[in-house]
Amino acid sequence: MKADLLVTGISQLVTAQGAGPKRGLAMRELLIVERAAIAIAKGVFVWVGSEADWRGEAATTIDVHRRAVIPGLVDPHTHAVWAGDRLADFEARSAGVGYETILAAGGGIWSTIRATAAASEEELLSLAQPRIEALQRSGAAVIEVKSGYGFTPAAELALLSAICALAKRTPVRIVPTLLIHVPPQQSNDRAASLSAVCEKLIPEASQRRLASAVDVFIEREAWSAAEAERILKCAQQLGLGIKLHCEQFHNVGGLELGVRMGALSVDHLEACKPEQIAIVAASPTIATLLPGVSLHLGLPAAPGRTLIDAGAAVAVGTDLNPGSSPLFSTAAALALAVRLNGLTAQEALVAGTANAASALGLVDAGRIEAGLPADFLVLAGSDWRELVYILGANPAGEVWIRGKRVSR
Ligand code: NIG
Ligand code: FE
């Protein structure tokens, strides 16, 4: 076998295995190889195994001196493109005002929508690029980025275009999602807004290939499950994936709808009830946990432990956004999932790699396996568990995307 690059001296190579029978039900098998090596050709893994078993030829060899290697992380939920800040909200919340109260009064998400509308595409890109770089440095090789701060169809399409332009400026694989975030503040405008979403926004986003999935925020202060169903049906008719923000503050039927419609993922779940855990656990829909929100908003954490014990496939993301999760590290989201959601280190690794890829409908990311893009991390230390143990420093020593070192 011939390779462009052989990476040797790997103390431990740890990866989830297999694309999973149905997008990745429950926990996947973990492969742990001590004293491992990986071979790469044309940006793709071509061989993975014990260093002593390598018999091929490599143009270049790199010794990582007994450091651990894991797959590049996949961040399955971010809102990385926004303008303005939410420091005033943060202060108000510190003084006891609730997130939903601020939103209902026209602040919160609305203030970010106003600030984002006032920014040019170039300004949005220069704000978003360092955020993507921060996530990348923390280990993310694939990042989902949602629109949602546009509000009008034209502004949402402009945000999706900005996300696609951002994708061209980074080695990270960006997965764009159209987020139908908040309904108009006047209730008699909702029907017209829904029609514009279904008849103009989703068809145009699909036709211009600006999004691979559509997400809806289902909540008392946002869309109802019935409204979301109409939106998601439009998306499915055009072949787009669907996902939901649901059970964040209240149970208004979002999780049940997502599972019934075959959503890729149901995200948040902080207010999830035991009977809902059983519903998602019996389905191929991924339960995506966002512990940065629990920390920043002081919400109870989503029941990760119970979800996994019930058989649900769990993913973890940063939810990077200015209002509910200013968390600029994908690795830190995994570290928080261990503390706040009760995941083990192994479960967190799977949740931040293979299961997060499944939450985006990707079968070729989040694993170290011959034939897949060579996205991997050389961790700072020799024991891979430092990925979720370390707080405040970066456990990702080197980030490699498609066979190239992009951060160190
Ligand atoms: O995932 N809850 C809805 N949307 C985002 C927050 C957006 C914001 O506060 O700006 C979330 O938490
Ligand atoms: Fe979100």
Side-chain angles (χ1 to χ4, degrees):
M1 173 173 304
K2 283 199 178 349
D4 302 331
L5 178 67
L6 180 71
V7 181
T8 62
I10 300 171
S11 57
Q12 304 169 325
L13 179 139
V14 187
T15 178
Q17 292 183 286
K22 290 198 286 173
R23 294 201 206 119
L25 269 179
M27 281 300 298
R28 303 179 199 229
E29 290 292 300
L30 263 199
L31 172 72
I32 305 187
V33 185
E34 310 244 323
R35 286 189 215 98
I38 49 182
I40 295 160
K42 296 193 172 75
V44 169
F45 294 119
V46 289
W47 183 88
V48 181
S50 174
E51 192 177 317
D53 294 338
W54 168 252
R55 295 285 175 272
E57 282 171 40
T60 309
T61 299
I62 290 184
D63 183 345
V64 299
H65 300 292
R66 291 183 302 285
R67 288 183 290 162
V69 165
I70 64 166
L73 303 181
V74 177
D75 196 330
H77 184 138
T78 84
H79 309 244
V81 182
W82 78 82
D85 65 58
R86 296 275 281 280
L87 295 168
D89 287 16
F90 183 46
E91 252 193 294
R93 284 199 308 94
S94 313
V97 188
Y99 178 92
E100 292 168 285
T101 310
I102 296 170
L103 177 61
I109 294 171
W110 289 110
S111 66
T112 303
I113 288 173
R114 288 188 290 273
T116 304
S120 67
E121 174 170 298
E122 206 40 56
E123 283 164 343
L124 290 174
L125 289 174
S126 60
L127 290 165
Q129 235 176 316
R131 298 173 190 148
I132 296 295
E133 275 161 23
L135 297 177
Q136 176 197 301
R137 273 196 306 280
S138 81
V142 179
I143 301 175
E144 187 254 23
V145 181
K146 301 175 195 296
S147 67
Y149 292 125
F151 187 60
T152 65
E156 283 298 322
L157 290 165
L159 265 188
L160 288 174
S161 302
I163 295 169
C164 293
L166 181 65
K168 298 203 177 84
R169 297 191 187 182
T170 167
V172 170
R173 179 161 158 193
I174 301 287
V175 179
T177 296
L178 168 59
L179 170 60
I180 310 301
H181 210 166
V182 279
Q185 285 164 294
Q186 301 303 326
S187 58
N188 51 359
D189 292 341
R190 284 171 92 108
S193 176
L194 259 185
S195 299
V197 165
C198 292
E199 285 151 32
K200 178 173 161 50
L201 177 52
I202 297 177
E204 193 166 336
S206 157
Q207 200 236 329
R208 290 169 58 194
R209 296 182 183 279
L210 292 175
S212 30
V214 173
D215 187 343
V216 183
F217 180 25
I218 299 185
E219 189 50 64
R220 272 191 207 163
E221 291 301 329
W223 298 98
S224 70
E227 289 167 325
E229 181 164 3
R230 190 171 151 210
I231 296 168
L232 297 174
K233 274 192 181 143
C234 299
Q236 282 186 324
Q237 275 160 10
L238 294 168
L240 296 168
I242 60 166
K243 42 186 46 247
L244 288 174
H245 278 70
C246 61
E247 322 314 322
Q248 185 179 3
F249 299 102
H250 304 99
N251 301 104
V252 289
L255 179 144
E256 288 83 349
L257 174 73
V259 168
R260 176 159 61 76
M261 293 187 73
L264 290 165
S265 67
V266 284
D267 301 28
H268 275 290
L269 313 186
E270 292 89 343
C272 187
K273 293 262 180 338
E275 53 277 23
Q276 295 181 302
I277 292 173
I279 292 170
V280 68
S283 83
T285 294
I286 306 279
T288 299
L289 313 178
L290 307 165
V293 177
S294 311
L295 184 67
H296 186 66
L297 295 188
L299 290 178
R305 179 75 266 130
T306 323
L307 280 159
I308 291 177
D309 289 343
V314 164
V316 169
T318 55
D319 198 5
L320 171 61
N321 77 76
S324 72
S325 187
L327 178 61
F328 292 80
S329 163
T330 307
L334 302 180
L336 289 176
V338 172
R339 274 81 175 181
L340 302 179
N341 305 101
L343 271 59
T344 65
Q346 299 203 350
E347 288 161 351
L349 177 78
V350 175
T353 56
N355 282 1
S358 296
L360 299 178
L362 302 177
V363 291
D364 63 344
R367 283 154 22 237
I368 297 179
E369 192 176 298
L372 298 191
D375 299 346
F376 62 97
L377 312 182
V378 180
L379 297 183
S382 60
D383 191 320
W384 73 273
R385 294 172 300 181
E386 289 189 3
L387 171 72
V388 292
Y389 171 71
I390 287 175
L391 295 172
N394 189 3
E398 296 177 9
V399 182
W400 290 70
I401 298 182
R402 294 193 184 253
K404 296 222 156 49
R405 185 164 42 206
V406 297
S407 316
R408 68 190 308 177

